[in-house]
Amino acid sequence: LASSPTENELRVGVKFYDHSSSFKQAMLAMDAESEIVASQLAGEFVLPANPQQQCVFIAGGIGVTPFRSMIQYLLDTQQRRPITLFYVNRIASDIIYWDVFNQAQRELGIRTIYTLTDKSQLPAGWKWPVGRITPQLIKEQVPDYQNCIFYISGPQSMVDSFKELLSQLKVKSSQIKTDFFPGFA
């Protein structure tokens, strides 16, 4: 879910491919009269109770969806929190929610570090890092990273690789939260 509890409409972040699943094809065929049945929201992938707790969000592609929800909530409630978002995509056109993240930077000081992995398709004037997120990039951008809670959301293989990367940085497993990504587990 991409919507914040403060928003009246329900937002769902989904990426459609040329050969999407039948489930996604059914979603594309929906109209304003279509009914969606959902169960109770649950889980531990939520902001910490302590607003002073420094957080690092790591998102791959459409895995940024829950972070849009959290950051929109912070904007709507004007809560400043020490958050750095690393947002990895293959190409620039895959980046979504620029507007929300840029507004959060301006109004709340929430930093977003965009990275692109396809070096052959960089837009002219690209000013952010290129390539995968490395331990060095985390150390440079978040010098006190060992005091942070890390939230990771994306395809399971990406989540697993970042858990390993954070382990190499001696980040305790109790400081790592991952989002369950059905269909990718």
Side-chain angles (χ1 to χ4, degrees), residues 52-81:
Q52 303 307 312
Q53 172 62 58
Q54 188 172 357
C55 298
V56 175
F57 295 168
I58 301 174
I62 196 66
V64 77
T65 302
F67 300 130
R68 188 267 179 208
S69 172
M70 292 177 189
I71 291 172
Q72 186 64 55
Y73 174 78
L74 296 174
L75 281 165
D76 291 344
T77 59
Q78 287 298 294
Q79 287 187 48
R80 294 184 74 85
R81 288 189 182 227

Side-chain angles (χ1 to χ4, degrees), residues 16-33:
F16 294 95
Y17 296 94
D18 289 337
H19 301 287
S20 290
S21 68
S22 58
F23 175 79
K24 287 185 179 180
Q25 290 174 20
M27 288 182 76
L28 275 174
M30 295 174 73
D31 62 22
E33 302 300 316

Side-chain angles (χ1 to χ4, degrees), residues 54-57 71 80-87 101-106 108-114 128-129 137-144:
Q54 188 172 357
C55 298
V56 175
F57 295 168
I71 291 172
R80 294 184 74 85
R81 288 189 182 227
I83 296 172
T84 300
L85 166 62
F86 288 93
Y87 184 16
F101 301 142
N102 291 340
Q103 181 184 358
Q105 171 103 20
R106 285 190 315 274
L108 304 177
I110 294 174
R111 296 176 50 228
T112 299
I113 298 154
Y114 301 95
W128 291 285
L137 182 62
I138 291 174
K139 288 178 184 179
E140 288 171 5
Q141 297 296 326
V142 189
D144 55 346

Side-chain angles (χ1 to χ4, degrees), residues 10-11 20 52 75 86 98 105 132 160 162 172 182:
L10 177 67
R11 293 177 184 261
S20 290
Q52 303 307 312
L75 281 165
F86 288 93
W98 286 93
Q105 171 103 20
R132 303 206 180 278
D160 291 341
F162 276 113
K172 297 174 191 165

Side-chain angles (χ1 to χ4, degrees), residues 31-42:
D31 62 22
E33 302 300 316
S34 297
E35 183 178 348
I36 296 175
V37 178
S39 64
Q40 177 181 355
L41 295 176

Side-chain angles (χ1 to χ4, degrees), residues 126-148:
W126 182 256
K127 63 181 182 178
W128 291 285
V130 176
R132 303 206 180 278
I133 296 173
T134 63
Q136 186 60 34
L137 182 62
I138 291 174
K139 288 178 184 179
E140 288 171 5
Q141 297 296 326
V142 189
D144 55 346
Y145 66 90
Q146 289 185 317
N147 297 322
C148 298

